[in-house]
Amino acid sequence: MRPEILNPLFAEVDTLEGVGPKLKKPLDRLGLTRVRDVAYHLPERFVTRRSVQNLDEAGEGEQIVLALTPIEHRAPRSGRGPHRVLAQDSIGNVCALTYFGRAAYSAKKLLPVGERRWVAGKLERYGDMLQIVHPDHVLEEGGESLQRLCEPVYALSEGLTQPKVASLVAQVMARLPELPEWIEPAQFDKAGWPAWSDALKLAHKGEHTAARDRLAYDELLANSLALMLVRADNRQRRGRALVGDGSLRGKLQLPFPLTGAQQRSIREIEGDVAQEAPMLRLLQGDVGAGKTVVALEAMLVAVEAGAQAALLAPTEILARQHFETLRAMARPTGAEVALLTGRDKGRARESILMGLLDGSIHIVVGTHAIFQDSVNYRDLGLVVIDEQHRFGVAQRLQLARKGKHTPHTLAMTATPIPRTLTLAQYGEMDVSKLDEMPPGRQAIDTRVVGQDRIAEVVEAVGRHIEGGQQAYWVCPMVHDSETTDLAAAEARHAALRERFGETVVLVHGQLDPSAKDRAMERFASGEAKLLVATTVIEVGVDVPAATLMVIEQAERFGLAQLHQLRGRVGRGSEKSVCLLLRGEALSETGRKRLALMRETQDGFRIAEEDLALRGGGELLGTRQSGDTPFRVANLEQIQRLLPVAHDDARLLVDRDGGLSSLRGEAARVLLYLFERDWGVQLLRGG
């Protein structure tokens, strides 16, 4: 049960003054559903604004405050384009104030023609015109107050403004409880960190390194401690030794011989499941490296030993794809493979539930539906979890309770993880790597093309589609950001749909899941020829006919992310092409990233290089792809602080009496604060 001292932090966000149904929606989109979430919604950066009399005094890229008078509102030609307000300074210079999406509706009210307003924001150039995209502030009077040192800049979604977020943060800071100290005293004194509540307040006020480090350390300590408790619990539990006789695996008729990496991984898994201690192993491998075959071999070991196996997939569409693949491969063995999703109802569902209970179904594939309370197994011996990071450990624990004994667990990920981050993301799991590609897999022709040649790229996509093939078009974000005019998936979809018609579909992270599934199904079936998407397609359906991918503003993506996206094409024997569109202002790091993409398709090398190139300059959580399970700690902090946090957690478990000691009670508060309380549940359930 959550400690009472944390209750104010876990109150719903609408308990804050000024948060009604209208404001709750954009807060929900950012994941800010509780007071705690607002507290940890740390600024992405801080800006210092300079007050200028006119645009001649300002430099491009500078944060400024000045008085402007709107002279004209220009609505977009299409429904998806930006709304621009042309405004004059005191000497007649013209600047565009640019709004995207729903924010355009408020522009007319904020900026009536002929009435002077104080405007604050980043001055940029778009073509021949100066512009400020989504001004941070628009005031009738008192513009001088906007000239500030270290003003926080928060991530926003449509319907939110910087002042509104700042006011919510101020309310939260005023109601922070005083929590007990969970950091080991010697480490706390050595680092010179502030107390928890002081650290949060300082982190929202300015670039306070010690405060940020302390908050990152808290998160890393909570994660390390929880994973350590999982591992300790796993070692104490009794599993069931599964020893197969090879009778089913010997009947497999695979189209290619297993690679050396696949054979090695299978031997490692066989060795683990032959022990009574439940296996807890991670299988890493690029898209197309053959993880599914390894998983099938592991599941057939369980079936040969008289047990059942389950494969848990993150989405229904991926579950269906796994089911079709496994059923086809397992057919010669006689093993019965079934699919169970939330969509199954009535007699079909009852039949599957009965088959799992009486043991006539040997392998089940599905979504979260396979660990619901109503699903019972005769003898569940092995659980395979695809894309482990998309499920919490809590779900894994629910599955663990489904067997007579604790089932063995194999987690699979198609995201090559740098060695530094493996400990952070997966704790002390044993790791198997598929670092060889199966024979017959063609290299993907990767080319870098300037964004200014986008018209030629569109025509190339047209020729590709007319030739009966399919293509992906990937954009870096859903809505244009407030500071940079990025290509948004929705705007690109509208333009491409105008060119290619109904054959273009759109998928992004903010779509309703059912709408997302319908779009993916249209693309998978071949009905749709072009899929415009954000990075949600990183783990998606296999579409062999999709042999072309365009990644717009490729420099905005991390290397590992680009590599994973590229892996969606080239699944068949046809030659595949990946076009990386680069912007004009490409940094040195950006050039190195794109050059490496052309040079190699080794995902493990790319993951290490990506970490080295990015360093700590990028805050986790500002990108679309979750490289780590952390919201506060950035890459540099993980590398620097994780070893210390890991040792501290080990000290607490081994020397300081675990969670039953005085410091352990404080650590219990920490686990609940960061929602790693499944570590506490393990102690109770064990």
Side-chain angles (χ1 to χ4, degrees):
M1 188 173 176
R2 184 192 304 132
E4 283 188 19
I5 196 171
L6 293 178
N7 287 346
L9 291 170
F10 282 85
E12 293 296 311
V13 73
D14 55 13
T15 60
L16 296 174
E17 187 179 337
V19 180
K22 186 177 180 182
L23 191 62
K24 197 170 182 300
K25 287 182 180 178
L27 290 170
D28 285 350
R29 285 198 292 271
L30 287 172
L32 307 182
T33 60
R34 299 154 309 177
V35 170
R36 174 213 175 277
D37 304 322
V38 177
Y40 280 101
H41 189 60
L42 300 179
E44 292 186 325
R45 63 187 185 284
F46 294 85
V47 299
T48 299
R49 291 201 177 85
R50 186 167 68 92
S51 182
V52 296
Q53 298 298 313
N54 56 65
L55 291 166
D56 288 347
E57 295 181 5
E60 291 177 26
E62 188 178 5
Q63 293 282 350
I64 61 169
V65 179
L66 83 163
L68 292 171
T69 303
I71 56 175
E72 181 186 350
H73 282 256
R74 288 186 179 174
R77 293 175 185 172
S78 69
R80 301 278 183 183
H83 181 99
R84 289 190 168 92
V85 183
L86 302 188
Q88 277 186 337
D89 65 13
S90 59
I91 59 174
N93 293 321
V94 175
C95 172
L97 307 176
T98 306
Y99 292 86
F100 289 89
R102 295 191 188 97
Y105 299 127
S106 61
K108 289 184 179 179
K109 187 183 293 185
L110 281 173
L111 296 157
V113 171
E115 296 188 20
R116 192 182 77 155
R117 292 290 185 268
W118 288 94
V119 178
K122 185 178 180 181
L123 186 67
E124 298 173 307
R125 182 171 293 279
Y126 180 78
D128 296 330
M129 181 171 284
L130 291 170
Q131 72 169 1
I132 297 174
V133 179
H134 285 260
D136 294 328
H137 302 276
V138 176
L139 299 179
E140 291 184 35
E141 300 294 339
E144 296 83 359
S145 66
L146 299 176
Q147 184 177 345
R148 297 175 187 159
L149 295 175
C150 280
E151 179 182 334
V153 177
Y154 296 96
L156 302 176
S157 67
E158 279 192 287
L160 279 179
T161 63
Q162 293 294 343
K164 177 53 71 177
V165 174
S167 74
L168 297 179
V169 168
Q171 288 185 59
V172 172
M173 294 301 104
R175 62 164 73 175
L176 289 178
E178 290 298 323
L179 301 183
E181 187 53 70
W182 43 74
I183 298 176
E184 201 273 326
Q187 170 61 25
F188 183 80
D189 294 339
K190 179 183 175 183
W193 288 332
W196 173 78
S197 59
D198 292 336
L200 266 175
K201 291 170 186 175
L202 288 167
H204 282 282
K205 285 180 180 176
E207 295 175 347
H208 198 289
T209 303
R212 283 271 189 169
D213 277 358
R214 190 253 147 84
L215 297 175
Y217 186 84
D218 290 345
E219 187 175 34
L220 295 170
L221 178 61
N223 199 67
S224 295
L225 181 58
L227 289 173
M228 213 167 277
L229 293 171
V230 168
R231 186 64 170 180
D233 173 77
N234 211 63
R235 286 175 177 149
Q236 290 172 5
R237 286 180 181 270
R238 285 198 62 192
R240 173 186 170 188
L242 300 176
V243 180
D245 59 8
S247 59
L248 300 182
R249 287 171 288 162
K251 296 176 183 177
L252 287 172
Q253 298 171 8
L254 302 175
F256 299 112
L258 295 173
T259 65
Q262 286 174 313
Q263 293 175 40
R264 182 184 67 239
S265 297
I266 291 166
R267 285 196 301 272
E268 291 168 346
I269 293 165
E270 276 188 287
D272 282 358
V273 300
Q275 310 300 316
E276 278 197 356
M279 175 179 71
L280 199 57
R281 180 170 288 275
L282 172 68
L283 178 63
Q284 279 186 278
D286 269 342
V287 173
K291 294 185 298 299
T292 307
V293 173
V294 174
L296 176 60
E297 292 258 358
M299 290 189 284
L300 289 176
V301 170
V303 178
E304 289 170 359
Q308 294 164 294
L311 188 150
L312 181 61
T315 64
E316 184 172 313
I317 196 165
L318 196 56
R320 289 183 182 281
Q321 179 180 298
H322 274 311
F323 168 66
E324 297 293 346
T325 303
L326 290 171
R327 184 173 61 171
M329 285 196 295
R331 189 170 287 121
T333 72
E336 186 67 29
V337 183
L339 174 70
L340 181 63
T341 70
R343 196 181 293 186
D344 295 306
K345 299 286 187 288
R347 289 184 180 178
R349 176 180 169 81
E350 288 301 318
S351 174
I352 295 168
L353 295 183
M354 187 58 69
L356 292 173
L357 189 59
D358 66 21
S360 59
I361 292 176
H362 304 113
I363 296 171
V364 65
V365 181
T367 56
H368 64 279
I370 67 175
F371 58 75
Q372 290 173 340
D373 290 341
S374 59
V375 181
N376 294 295
Y377 297 79
R378 184 183 66 82
D379 188 4
L380 181 61
L382 172 68
V383 176
V384 179
I385 305 178
D386 190 19
E387 291 305 317
Q388 162 86 354
H389 66 278
R390 299 193 172 215
F391 296 96
V393 175
Q395 285 97 327
R396 189 190 73 76
L397 296 176
Q398 282 182 284
L399 272 172
R401 298 187 184 111
K402 290 293 183 184
K404 294 177 182 176
H405 304 280
T406 300
H408 298 279
T409 302
L410 177 66
M412 303 194 301
T413 178
T415 309
I417 304 165
R419 287 184 297 274
T420 316
L421 300 184
T422 303
L423 180 66
Q425 192 150 338
Y426 295 102
E428 297 173 308
M429 292 179 82
D430 298 309
V431 179
S432 295
K433 285 188 177 182
L434 297 181
D435 47 13
E436 300 173 51
M437 295 302 282
R441 181 78 190 264
Q442 287 216 6
I444 300 166
D445 182 5
T446 304
R447 308 171 192 173
V448 179
V449 180
Q451 188 84 17
D452 56 348
R453 295 176 59 190
I454 198 163
E456 297 173 47
V457 172
V458 171
E459 291 308 310
V461 170
R463 292 191 296 273
H464 185 80
I465 291 172
E466 287 164 10
Q469 299 290 297
Q470 291 170 276
Y472 295 100
W473 190 297
V474 184
C475 299
M477 58 192 308
V478 177
H479 296 291
D480 295 60
S481 79
E482 58 173 345
T483 55
T484 312
D485 193 4
L486 296 176
E490 290 179 331
R492 182 59 63 202
H493 172 250
L496 291 171
R497 196 179 178 100
E498 197 171 307
R499 168 70 171 78
F500 299 117
E502 296 292 317
T503 191
V504 185
V505 291
L506 173 67
V507 173
H508 60 68
Q510 294 179 22
L511 269 186
D512 176 80
S514 59
K516 191 188 301 181
D517 281 351
R518 281 197 302 274
M520 292 293 270
E521 284 166 5
R522 282 191 64 203
F523 188 63
S525 69
E527 180 188 347
K529 300 297 183 185
L530 178 59
L531 176 67
V532 180
T534 53
T535 54
V536 292
I537 64 166
E538 284 177 41
V539 182
V541 291
D542 285 337
V543 183
T547 54
L548 172 64
M549 177 173 286
V550 178
I551 302 180
E552 196 165 348
Q553 297 197 348
E555 70 276 9
R556 301 280 176 191
F557 295 87
L559 260 176
Q561 201 175 21
L562 285 174
H563 174 69
Q564 182 124 4
L565 285 165
R566 177 175 62 179
R568 301 313 316 165
V569 296
R571 305 309 300 274
S573 57
E574 297 287 326
K575 179 182 176 183
S576 299
V577 177
C578 179
L579 299 179
L580 304 178
L581 304 191
R582 56 169 175 78
E584 294 176 15
L586 195 61
S587 66
E588 183 66 28
T589 299
R591 278 196 294 276
K592 286 180 180 177
R593 281 178 178 169
L594 299 189
L596 189 67
M597 285 296 295
R598 292 181 61 187
E599 181 184 324
T600 184
Q601 291 183 37
D602 180 345
F604 292 99
R605 179 187 167 193
I606 284 173
E608 296 292 343
E609 294 273 358
D610 192 28
L611 186 62
L613 285 171
R614 280 190 289 176
E618 245 172 75
L619 279 181
L620 294 171
T622 61
R623 299 182 305 281
Q624 293 169 311
S625 172
D627 291 328
T628 78
F630 304 120
R631 180 167 185 165
V632 180
N634 66 29
L635 291 169
E636 184 274 333
Q637 288 169 323
I638 292 170
Q639 290 177 286
R640 177 165 49 86
L641 298 174
L642 179 63
V644 186
H646 185 263
D647 290 346
D648 194 1
R650 174 67 64 203
L651 199 65
L652 178 61
V653 171
D654 292 347
R655 189 198 74 180
D656 293 348
L659 299 190
S660 60
S661 65
L662 188 63
R663 183 179 163 223
E665 285 298 318
R668 186 185 296 264
V669 173
L670 171 71
L671 289 171
Y672 276 96
L673 176 65
F674 280 97
E675 297 178 288
R676 303 299 202 274
D677 45 285
W678 32 263
V680 181
Q681 292 168 25
L682 279 175
L683 291 183
R684 290 177 179 158

